[in-house]
Amino acid sequence: MTDTRCPAAHPDDPTPCDGPPVVTVLDAQNGGADGCEHHGARLLASLEGGRVYALPDAPEGAAIRVFKAADGTRPFVWHEGAPRTEPSQLSHRENRERDGR
């Protein structure tokens, strides 16, 4: 892999890509970015109403792996020292567990 990261990687996220772009992540207004599974999940976790779709040449199951990973990933996870008390700061899974669902 080159030093160039996928378009889904946030500039403040220091982590490297885990492979080539395999998914497109869309926000609620249909703006999107292609990304590797790792950054696709991080982007999806940071969006309200986001969706993920596999690119045509993606490995089988790429979109569902990104969807499942995003479910347990906190929004803007690279902000490690940030307090995480509000629902918008927790993962979807943490919010379900907190609400008893």
Side-chain angles (χ1 to χ4, degrees):
M1 187 121 220
T2 67
D3 290 335
T4 304
R5 297 189 318 150
C6 67
H10 191 281
D12 294 337
D13 182 348
T15 61
C17 289
D18 65 356
V22 293
V23 295
T24 297
V25 177
L26 298 175
D27 65 17
Q29 289 77 41
N30 291 323
D34 292 346
C36 65
E37 288 189 28
H38 173 72
H39 289 117
R42 285 176 165 226
L43 176 58
L44 186 61
S46 299
L47 296 174
E48 188 66 38
R51 301 169 321 280
V52 61
Y53 298 93
L55 293 174
D57 58 345
E60 184 74 26
I64 194 67
R65 283 190 300 276
V66 167
F67 181 81
K68 287 179 176 182
D71 185 56
T73 302
R74 289 178 168 180
F76 305 100
V77 68
W78 53 91
H79 293 284
E80 295 171 355
R84 301 290 182 155
T85 57
E86 299 295 319
S88 65
Q89 299 166 326
L90 301 174
S91 73
H92 296 295
R93 182 181 312 143
E94 288 172 317
N95 281 316
R96 283 194 312 275
E97 290 170 355
R98 191 175 84 166
D99 295 341
R101 294 184 274 155

